[in-house]
Amino acid sequence: MPDFDLVIRNGRVATAADLFTADIGVKDGVVAALGRALGKGQREIDAAGRLVLPGGIDSHCHVEQLSGSGVMTADDFYTGTRSAAAGGTTTIIPFAAQHRGMSLRKVVADYHECAGPKAVVDYAFHLIVSDPTDAVVGQELPALIADGYTSFKIYTTYDMLKLNDRQVLDVLSVARREGALTMVHAENHDIIAWLSDKLMDAGLTQPKFHAVAHVRTAEREATHRVISLAELVDVPVLIVHVSSAEAIEQIRIAQNRGLRVYGETCPQYLFLTEDDLDKAGFEGAKCMCSPPPRDKANQEKVWDGLTQGVFQVFSSDHAPYRFNDPEGKMKHGSNAPFKKVANGVPGLAARLPLLFTGVAAGRIDVNQFVALAATNAAKLYGLYPQKGTIAVGSDADIAIWDPEKEVTIRQGMLHDAMDYTPYEGITVKGWPVVTLSRGEVVAEGGKVTEARGRGRFLPCARSPLARPLGRRVTSFDPVSGRLAGL
Ligand code: URP
Ligand code: ZN
Ligand code: ZN
């Protein structure tokens, strides 16, 4: 009778803190033992020469989601989670996205209906709040937070999604009262709209002008403003998909002042530049996302932000709109003005191999890699220690990496529903060769499982990292309605 369902032997196990050689014994989907010369497993994997890492958590991806402009993502919960598994990711946290006029409860129920029968790895949901009515702020959000939806994204731009500052304050106040974490897409809407209109009037409509309209100043201003609003309410905030030196500076200043301001960045800000939007014909649309990729100097600043810990989270912001498709980037034609092209790039499978180039290049160590890939997201979003680490009692979500394997990224190996990857032809060193979700192999040697519906929903706890600091910038506490000293 074997002692374990699975034993992974002789790998170099890394967590966000440690690196050691050990066997891992898995029973009933969880890590049951860590040690040397463990007893027999029903299945055994020899991981000598390999890195054994927690499965990745992609905490910012758009799956089976209708964009603000009415374009559906190409990936559903089957292809999206299959692609995640191929890239060493074992948990995704996509969005249950409210469009104006919708009940958040109903939105959440609809996303569950989509995900339940299809997901092959585990998933939680953030909420997108685009319509913070009294009912949403007063009843739906508190009830949903209590039910395990403890984070939400809000926008300062996009016509159909943006909140004004007063609405941002309303949402931040609920977050503080209920212990939730607010993620913010921070770009100044009016700057972008004004520049876009001027560009359109001048006939400058090609994809490359998207990057001109979404100027770094717009990102800096909104990042600064959102941090100020969060400070007023005294609540932590996470700025998502940060692309530029200026926004990084704002986050760093806030962190240096002791505020709980967190930052997320994504592979497109390390590997793409605005020149990629300036390809022949309509090709540049493949790399259009918001904020847009910047230049080489900004890429370096983003790497520095990862090295120096300004960023806690590295997500794909997978927003998959097919290129050569009338329901994708070409919804408004193959010559559409940039304002009409769906924003977003895919990246669920490529995210971690791209980040691992930072380990190979000595920019981050393997512990930082694990923290950025999985552990910090688990902590921020209330999934730790069930997810995001390798420890006795944690789910056996594990990616076995060959740190020497060189791979040239090709669309065909990513297992999503896309017809392109913006990372086509990039050669990386280090690749996940086996991915295990709760002890079951979901990807191995370039093949992925077909086990639709095995993924489970993960209710999220309230994260200690989302707690207020207890610092006030006014003598009046706008959340409790109390004046200091009374
Ligand atoms: O361009 C992007 N990032 N599209 C996805 C939606 C978002 O704002 O994250
Ligand atoms: Zn966004
Ligand atoms: Zn996004």
Side-chain angles (χ1 to χ4, degrees), residues 55-58 77-92 119-122 347-353 398-401 413-416 431-437 440-451 454:
I57 298 178
D58 196 333
F77 279 87
Y78 176 56
T79 59
T81 52
R82 180 177 79 173
S83 181
T89 288
T90 49
T91 298
I92 64 165
V120 303
V121 298
D122 295 349
L348 265 170
R351 172 183 73 114
L352 293 181
I398 291 168
I400 302 176
W401 284 70
M413 61 179 61
L414 302 179
H415 298 280
D416 58 18
W431 196 261
V433 288
V434 183
T435 308
L436 298 145
S437 163
E440 289 174 24
V441 173
V442 287
E444 185 168 16
K447 297 208 166 48
V448 285
T449 182
E450 301 206 356
R454 67 165 294 291

Side-chain angles (χ1 to χ4, degrees), residues 60-62 95 153 155 185 240-241 290 317-319:
H60 184 155
C61 49
H62 303 268
F95 298 90
K153 182 177 176 191
Y155 291 75
H185 179 135
V240 296
H241 47 49
S290 294
D317 192 9
H318 183 79

Side-chain angles (χ1 to χ4, degrees), residues 107-416:
V107 167
V108 168
D110 289 349
Y111 274 88
H112 273 288
E113 229 169 81
C114 294
K118 295 182 206 145
V120 303
V121 298
D122 295 349
Y123 56 95
F125 287 113
H126 311 289
L127 309 171
I128 285 178
V129 181
S130 65
D131 199 4
T133 60
D134 288 350
V136 166
V137 169
Q139 290 130 44
E140 289 200 315
L141 269 178
L144 284 163
I145 293 165
D147 286 353
Y149 308 88
T150 57
S151 46
F152 26 82
K153 182 177 176 191
I154 56 175
Y155 291 75
T156 60
T157 187
Y158 290 131
D159 286 321
M160 304 311 290
L161 297 170
K162 75 180 162 69
L163 306 190
N164 61 36
D165 290 356
R166 198 185 170 107
Q167 291 172 313
V168 172
L169 288 167
D170 283 341
V171 172
L172 289 171
S173 300
V174 186
R176 159 135 165 242
R177 206 164 24 229
E178 306 294 335
L181 184 63
T182 309
M183 311 154 73
V184 187
H185 179 135
E187 289 183 286
N188 179 305
H189 183 74
D190 283 330
I191 291 178
I192 295 166
W194 187 77
L195 284 174
S196 297
D197 288 349
K198 301 273 175 210
L199 287 159
M200 292 286 148
D201 289 350
L204 304 173
T205 64
Q206 295 95 316
K208 68 176 175 183
F209 295 109
H210 171 79
V212 177
H214 288 250
V215 62
R216 302 202 307 264
T217 309
E219 189 183 10
R220 179 186 62 195
E221 188 283 326
T223 301
H224 177 85
R225 177 161 38 103
V226 163
I227 291 170
S228 303
L229 299 177
E231 186 179 13
L232 176 73
V233 173
D234 179 27
V235 72
V237 71
L238 191 153
I239 311 295
V240 296
H241 47 49
V242 174
S243 69
S244 65
E246 290 83 350
I248 293 170
E249 186 185 28
Q250 293 304 316
I251 296 169
R252 194 195 302 270
I253 290 170
Q255 290 171 347
N256 288 344
R257 289 181 52 229
L259 298 178
R260 283 200 178 135
V261 172
Y262 305 112
E264 174 204 79
T265 194
C266 316
Q268 50 270 41
Y269 306 119
L270 299 176
F271 288 89
L272 306 178
T273 68
E274 58 207 358
D275 292 344
D276 291 303
L277 277 70
D278 190 16
K279 292 200 173 131
F282 197 56
E283 280 285 306
K286 288 181 176 175
C287 297
M288 273 180 65
C289 55
S290 294
R294 309 296 185 178
D295 59 14
K296 289 270 175 210
N298 279 271
Q299 284 185 349
E300 282 304 311
K301 296 288 183 194
V302 175
W303 273 118
D304 288 348
L306 290 166
T307 304
Q308 295 161 9
V310 178
F311 295 117
Q312 290 68 44
V313 189
F314 188 77
S315 307
S316 66
D317 192 9
H318 183 79
Y321 305 108
R322 288 166 61 89
F323 178 64
N324 208 344
D325 191 325
E327 293 307 317
K329 295 269 184 189
M330 292 194 188
K331 185 157 178 136
H332 297 279
S334 57
N335 203 13
F338 70 84
K339 278 197 52 139
K340 293 208 175 260
V341 180
N343 283 195
V345 295
L348 265 170
R351 172 183 73 114
L352 293 181
L354 290 168
L355 180 63
F356 199 84
T357 62
V359 179
R363 292 181 187 264
I364 52 173
D365 64 26
V366 71
N367 306 110
Q368 284 173 297
F369 173 84
V370 170
L372 288 161
T375 315
N376 291 349
K379 288 182 176 173
L380 279 162
Y381 298 120
L383 293 172
Y384 188 84
Q386 181 187 356
K387 302 291 187 188
T389 193
I390 297 177
V392 172
S394 295
D395 282 358
D397 285 9
I398 291 168
I400 302 176
W401 284 70
D402 180 347
E404 300 302 323
K405 191 175 165 97
E406 288 196 12
V407 175
T408 301
I409 296 175
R410 301 285 174 211
Q411 170 52 27
M413 61 179 61
L414 302 179
H415 298 280
D416 58 18

